[in-house]
Amino acid sequence: MNVLLIGSGGREHALAWAISASPLLGRIYCAPGNAGIAEIAEIADIDIDNHAAVIQFCIDNDIGLVVVGPEGPLVAGLADDLAAARIKVFGPSKAAARLEGSKGFTKDFCAEFGIPTAAYRRCRDASSALAYLAEQPLPVVVKADGLAAGKGVVIAETREQATAAVEACFSGAFGAAGAEVVIEECMVGEEASFFALVDGTHALPMAAAQDHKRAFDGEQGPNTGGMGAYSPAPVMTPEISKRTMDEIIWPTVHGMAARGTPFKGVLFAGLMITADGPKLIEYNVRFGDPEAQVLMMRLKSDLLPALIATADGVLKTFDLRWHDDAALTVVMASKGYPGSYAKGTPIGALDTARAVPGVELFHAGTAREGDQLRAVGGRVLNVTARGKTVGEAQRAAYEAVAKIDWPGGFCRKDIGWRAIEREKKG
Ligand code: AMP
């Protein structure tokens, strides 16, 4: 089977790496891809926003499955257009992608189906938002309704911060994504990311991970797309995982099907593990980046048939096997990220880094200029390792990081600290 993968990040490199190992695979294409993906897939020169062009490429290249990595094309209806052209796709329809595309939609959905989540109010203008805010205890969470690349959430410690967040949304700081604001109770607990494949009616749990959103060590500095991750997540005990399936994932699968908008693809639940058990912070409708990198390192089964079974609606008879080992990924970013940063800085010595046992390098924002690899994005490399423990995986990952010759880059030095402290306590 020929596969077309949509996306250009470390997530897509990890997916391409896993799919490439499948004996079922014929050729793998990726659009737009990056320099690392280009080493294992053919880069397809198509505009992924032009759905007709994507469909034509699939017809011309006998594509048996399209795997959509990021949320943008899903929210834009790429899966619907492919399905209408009878091309098999891994990823939800536009209607089902609202679980990520609209926070207000998801909150109302949770209320309807009894899914545990923070108390909330949807507000369509500043005066009603400010009136509701005035009655809420602090801290309080203010969110732009739509996709804002992870930047649309403010945890306000003071009334002034809450007011400023509301005003920023309604003054257009997030464009159309801020036309509605969701105000939420601030939940307390430890966060984890939980992944399940869903085929419309059946859900198959994958694994859990934890990520680090802040730019600097000790969870300091601005929020980013993610500076590192590890799996498994110690907080996701078998009991909490079962409760997550029973109380959050299954009601979502049944509710979406009952509404006539069945969810197909991977459901990524951002969870807060509170004193009362797991509660949903938010849904994403695709693999996490950088969580996919650690998930793919731990997946023992062939990924490709699992993606096909999801698209075909036959997950009920499917199973996935995982390595007991832990995996950890360190994101290397351009100095200055998530603010402004220099583009085009040269990167070297990746082969030496890759030679560290247990290590895989996934590329995010890289491009090749002749023989020279260059950084062209904020998040640039994912140095990923497997080990018996999170501590072992961390040691291998940082050994590889130390070998990379990239003066223009930086990374956090403490990825996995929470799990490693737990491991030390035994
Ligand atoms: P989101 O984009 O919805 O995942 O929010 C980004 C981050 O804000 C989450 O990963 C949490 O750390 C935090 N957050 C969002 N909503 C809440 C909430 N209701 N209570 C506590 N923290 C939250």
Side-chain angles (χ1 to χ4, degrees):
M1 172 184 279
N2 297 336
V3 171
L4 171 64
L5 177 62
I6 304 288
S8 62
R11 164 183 50 211
E12 286 75 24
H13 191 179
L15 291 172
W17 174 76
I19 292 168
S20 300
S22 175
L24 296 181
L25 183 70
R27 301 169 87 105
I28 177 164
Y29 301 89
C30 185
N34 62 40
I37 295 173
E39 291 172 12
I40 54 173
E42 295 173 53
I43 301 301
D45 183 20
I46 35 176
D47 171 8
I48 59 171
D49 296 328
N50 180 346
H51 297 184
V54 176
I55 290 167
Q56 194 56 50
F57 181 89
C58 292
I59 294 167
D60 293 345
N61 293 281
D62 194 21
I63 299 296
L65 180 72
V66 178
V67 179
V68 185
E71 63 278 17
L74 296 166
V75 171
L78 179 58
D80 307 66
D81 291 339
L82 287 166
R86 302 196 169 282
I87 296 163
K88 195 173 293 191
V89 56
F90 176 86
S93 67
K94 183 174 181 168
R98 279 181 297 173
L99 284 173
E100 176 164 0
S102 166
K103 296 188 191 291
F105 169 87
T106 301
K107 298 301 286 189
D108 287 353
F109 180 87
C110 287
E112 183 178 342
F113 294 97
I115 295 166
T117 186
Y120 73 106
R121 172 76 62 91
R122 300 175 74 169
C123 300
R124 292 202 168 80
D125 60 73
S127 60
S128 65
L130 295 176
Y132 179 72
L133 265 182
E135 297 160 13
Q136 302 312 307
L138 294 170
V140 64
V141 184
V142 179
K143 299 182 174 183
D145 176 72
L147 293 184
K151 299 191 180 83
V153 176
V154 171
I155 303 195
E157 304 283 347
T158 65
R159 306 252 161 236
E160 291 69 33
Q161 284 170 350
T163 304
V166 165
E167 283 168 354
C169 280
F170 287 116
S171 68
F174 304 108
E180 180 180 322
V181 164
V182 179
I183 296 170
E184 292 183 12
E185 159 208 3
C186 187
M187 298 186 286
V188 179
E190 187 172 334
E191 285 182 51
S193 305
F194 185 85
F195 296 84
L197 292 176
V198 177
D199 70 1
T201 55
H202 196 83
L204 179 65
M206 295 189 86
Q210 285 181 296
D211 75 337
H212 298 264
K213 282 264 180 283
R214 299 297 194 99
F216 308 132
D217 287 12
E219 313 307 333
Q220 302 295 310
N223 260 322
T224 70
M227 294 302 289
Y230 53 93
S231 173
V235 69
M236 294 302 292
T237 59
E239 186 217 334
I240 295 287
S241 298
K242 182 172 185 314
R243 286 189 62 181
T244 301
M245 286 302 289
D246 292 347
E247 297 169 24
I248 297 177
I249 303 292
W250 279 116
T252 301
V253 174
H254 294 146
M256 291 301 280
R259 281 186 172 189
T261 53
F263 184 92
K264 280 185 168 199
V266 59
L267 202 47
F268 162 0
L271 302 175
M272 188 71 84
I273 313 306
T274 71
D276 299 331
K279 292 192 180 181
L280 185 72
I281 299 174
E282 59 154 4
Y283 267 132
N284 296 299
V285 300
R286 33 78 192 174
F287 284 107
D289 187 345
E291 290 90 338
Q293 289 81 318
V294 288
L295 251 48
M296 292 306 114
M297 288 290 271
R298 290 192 56 222
L299 182 63
K300 206 188 249 181
S301 303
D302 188 346
L303 177 67
L304 185 53
L307 302 179
I308 297 168
T310 303
D312 283 346
V314 296
L315 273 183
K316 195 164 184 196
T317 53
F318 214 84
D319 199 13
L320 284 174
R321 287 172 310 127
W322 299 87
H323 291 287
D324 290 333
D325 287 1
L328 179 142
T329 188
V330 176
V331 172
M332 296 187 76
S334 296
K335 280 181 185 161
Y337 173 81
S340 59
Y341 51 83
K343 282 200 174 163
T345 55
I347 305 171
L350 290 194
D351 286 342
T352 338
R354 200 181 278 125
V356 175
V359 166
E360 286 294 333
L361 292 184
F362 298 121
H363 291 220
T366 63
R368 203 167 280 285
E369 201 181 270
D371 284 342
Q372 182 61 59
L373 188 70
R374 293 188 186 275
V376 293
R379 295 189 297 165
V380 173
L381 291 169
N382 309 141
V383 184
T384 313
R386 225 168 64 200
K388 288 264 167 283
T389 60
V390 176
E392 253 185 49
Q394 190 206 50
R395 265 194 301 281
Y398 282 116
E399 188 185 330
V401 165
K403 295 190 189 298
I404 293 174
D405 177 17
W406 182 28
F410 81 101
C411 66
R412 279 181 58 163
K413 301 285 186 235
D414 64 347
I415 299 303
W417 65 267
R418 195 179 263 123
I420 291 167
E421 273 183 10
R422 275 208 176 100
E423 285 173 354
K424 280 187 186 147
K425 282 187 196 142

